Amino acid sequence: MPDINLNLNVRGLPQSATLVINEKSKLLTQQGRQVYRLGLGQSPFPVPQPVVDELKANAHQKDYLPVMGLPELREAVANYHCRREGIDCSGNDVLIGPGSKELMFILQLVYYGDLVIPTPSWVSYAPQAKIIGRHIRWLPTNLANELRVTPEEIEKLCQQDPNRPRIIVLNYPNNPSGATYRLEELKQIAAVAKKYRIILLSDEIYGELHHKGQHVSISRFYPQGTVISGGLSKWCGAGGWRLGTFLFPRSLYWLRDAMAVVASETYTATSAPIQYAAVRAFQGGDYFSQYLFHSRRILRAIGKQLTRKLQKIGIAVPEPKGAFYLFLNFSAFKDEMKAQGIESSEDFCNRLLEDTGVAILPGSVFGRRSEELSARLAYVDFDGHEALEASQKIPAYKSLENGFLNQYCHRTITALNLICDWLSGCK
Ligand SMILES: Cc1ncc(COP(=O)(O)O)c(C=O)c1O
């Protein structure tokens, strides 16, 4: 069938890049190839057992729940933000959805304004804006500033048309770079957002995976205009459960309510058993503190080791401060790659997958120029359950040594060595 009746905003759009690489990797695996999956950004860690138990206990929950979410869960999420961030909030401020991705889409749908995002940015913000028909404005970043957006760049953009409605997305710890912001930087960004009355969508889905557990929400400095986005997918290892949360200030209830209207006419409500189980996750407690301590310690150690190895062979890559990503720049190998017919980040990632079985994502899907030869590596191809158990046996004051990583995260380490060897072969 020809696609002539497709909505113009959707025509020609490919499926989300992270899902495509996953399918491609699966296909190669089925063909008997060894594939290292550093493409899809999925937590390597298991869902904490108390949350799994709660899901089992609530399998019988069959009724549709209120569109904004289960009241106990909304309350638990508000308490969590209050505890974690010192934000004064209540269950009324919370909207539960089937993944924060869906909530972001609905936000863009109901709010008429430009979408302002840094480059690089997570793969789905821009396609969502395209589907809805919003303007996208990219904010440049550079390696010297570890790919973080500056208040000056936001100011420069807003000055051109001060009264234009805008949503700016600030995502930290960041996908794809692992970067985060210092307090002073958050204050300055918040001040510009306030000056231009921008809606600040603070995507803090990796907040709990700040490698030192020191995440601070920008909402502290611009509460009236900030929506905090979060969920179970990353810190709780439950991406497939599909549960996301938005926290609104009272001044933005009109947005929350408009989103609830769309939710009521589309997905109705988030899955009931998942919501009951999520209450346990947001209640927190010792089990979760331990789980997060070990998750962070493992991620910090891998991030550090991989960064060192890559920098040593001339790849430009900022050391991650949170989450499980590295954003690599291969410019130093540009001439050698050109000699091999590789002229774009897509060429590079395809060739790397074919030659070594290592799957990573091209920088172009994060809003970088194709010719830049950049890519995102998700350092998650290891058995998180095994690694957590092993980390629990090592005293808390110690950091994890290379021996630990070679034993418990060997697939990721091997994949990195394959990348390094492949690049050395280019020279
Ligand atoms: C930066 C960022 N934001 C949002 C999401 C969406 O998460 P979910 O829809 O699972 O809540 C992801 C998932 O990869 C992400 O990396």
Side-chain angles (χ1 to χ4, degrees):
M1 286 270 281
D3 66 358
I4 47 172
N5 290 334
L6 269 184
N7 180 322
L8 276 181
N9 292 347
V10 179
R11 200 181 296 173
L13 267 188
Q15 260 193 39
S16 184
T18 38
L19 303 180
V20 170
I21 191 87
N22 204 30
E23 290 305 312
K24 222 177 194 175
S25 307
K26 261 191 205 150
L27 208 70
L28 282 177
T29 312
Q30 280 162 10
Q31 291 165 3
R33 291 277 308 274
Q34 175 78 267
V35 172
Y36 299 88
R37 293 176 179 216
L38 310 188
L40 185 69
Q42 173 157 284
S43 164
F45 301 114
V47 180
Q49 195 55 41
V51 186
V52 172
D53 293 342
E54 208 55 30
L55 182 61
K56 285 182 187 160
N58 281 286
H60 65 281
Q61 302 284 0
K62 64 174 199 44
D63 291 345
Y64 291 114
L65 291 178
V67 62
M68 289 210 203
L70 177 72
E72 296 93 298
L73 177 57
R74 295 176 73 199
E75 210 49 54
V77 172
N79 287 339
Y80 162 85
H81 282 292
C82 186
R83 215 171 49 234
R84 190 77 185 75
E85 303 290 344
I87 295 169
D88 182 21
C89 55
S90 77
N92 281 337
D93 306 345
V94 176
L95 180 61
I96 305 294
S100 61
K101 190 174 187 173
E102 182 65 21
L103 292 176
M104 285 172 197
F105 184 76
I106 298 181
L107 172 69
Q108 291 206 55
L109 188 76
V110 300
Y111 186 76
Y112 184 80
D114 289 357
L115 180 75
V116 181
I117 41 179
T119 160
S121 264
W122 175 52
V123 290
S124 289
Y125 306 129
Q128 288 191 346
K130 271 188 202 144
I131 291 169
I132 296 168
R134 300 281 176 254
H135 280 122
I136 301 163
R137 300 299 303 264
W138 292 95
L139 292 167
T141 67
N142 56 51
L143 271 168
N145 194 34
E146 302 197 328
L147 303 169
R148 293 164 323 148
V149 70
T150 62
E152 290 78 18
E153 287 295 346
I154 303 173
E155 174 79 45
K156 209 154 92 187
L157 177 88
C158 295
Q159 266 173 2
Q160 295 164 14
D161 189 352
N163 292 319
R164 206 175 169 86
R166 300 179 171 97
I167 296 177
I168 175 165
V169 183
L170 191 70
N171 165 228
Y172 68 101
N174 184 263
N175 174 6
S177 70
T180 188
Y181 291 84
R182 288 186 287 273
L183 271 193
E184 202 43 47
E185 293 166 327
L186 292 176
K187 280 185 195 163
Q188 289 169 4
I189 292 171
V192 183
K194 187 173 170 189
K195 177 173 168 191
Y196 292 100
R197 296 177 306 283
I198 305 171
I199 303 253
L200 189 51
L201 177 62
S202 188
D203 184 350
E204 302 179 27
I205 193 136
Y206 297 97
E208 288 287 15
L209 296 183
H210 183 293
H211 291 171
K212 292 187 175 163
Q214 293 169 352
H215 178 75
V216 173
S217 176
I218 193 167
S219 162
R220 269 203 211 167
F221 310 116
Y222 179 40
Q224 66 276 34
T226 303
V227 178
I228 304 180
S229 179
L232 290 186
S233 299
K234 309 299 174 177
W235 70 268
C236 203
W241 286 25
R242 311 308 303 130
L243 186 126
T245 64
F246 266 20
L247 184 80
F248 295 86
R250 211 162 245 285
S251 46
L252 297 180
Y253 272 12
W254 53 276
L255 264 184
R256 180 204 64 178
D257 294 346
M259 287 175 66
V261 171
V262 177
S264 75
E265 299 295 4
T266 51
Y267 60 79
T268 308
T270 305
S271 158
I274 300 291
Q275 290 202 59
Y276 279 96
V279 174
R280 184 67 198 89
F282 284 100
Q283 279 168 344
D286 282 352
Y287 187 99
F288 293 87
S289 306
Q290 283 302 308
Y291 170 89
L292 284 170
F293 171 82
H294 293 288
S295 304
R296 291 172 187 143
R297 180 161 74 164
I298 295 165
L299 295 176
R300 184 169 72 230
I302 311 177
K304 244 187 186 156
Q305 188 191 126
L306 300 193
T307 308
R308 278 205 198 114
K309 282 192 175 187
L310 289 161
Q311 287 175 343
K312 212 166 166 185
I313 64 159
I315 292 166
V317 49
E319 186 176 317
K321 306 292 188 304
F324 34 68
Y325 303 109
L326 299 175
F327 199 71
L328 319 176
N329 185 307
F330 300 94
S331 300
F333 295 83
K334 198 166 181 196
D335 294 339
E336 290 84 352
M337 290 212 203
K338 197 165 179 192
Q340 301 222 14
I342 298 172
E343 306 215 8
S344 68
S345 56
E346 296 90 338
D347 289 348
F348 169 67
C349 291
N350 280 327
R351 182 73 71 82
L352 190 74
L353 183 57
E354 278 164 28
D355 290 356
T356 65
V358 178
I360 56 177
L361 283 179
S364 54
V365 299
F366 301 91
R368 302 300 284 190
R369 287 177 303 106
S370 236
E371 327 71 89
E372 179 183 74
L373 293 183
S374 56
R376 185 197 75 179
L377 181 157
Y379 47 92
V380 293
D381 192 352
F382 63 93
D383 183 335
H385 180 74
E386 215 178 77
L388 276 183
E389 280 197 340
S391 174
Q392 277 156 9
K393 294 183 187 129
I394 298 172
Y397 64 85
K398 286 195 167 174
S399 39
L400 302 176
E401 307 289 340
N402 288 351
F404 178 96
L405 300 180
N406 291 337
Q407 184 169 359
Y408 295 102
C409 309
H410 56 91
R411 284 186 60 79
T412 298
I413 306 291
T414 304
L416 192 95
N417 290 337
L418 285 168
I419 298 176
C420 293
D421 292 348
W422 188 90
L423 287 167
S424 306
C426 267
K427 286 255 185 199

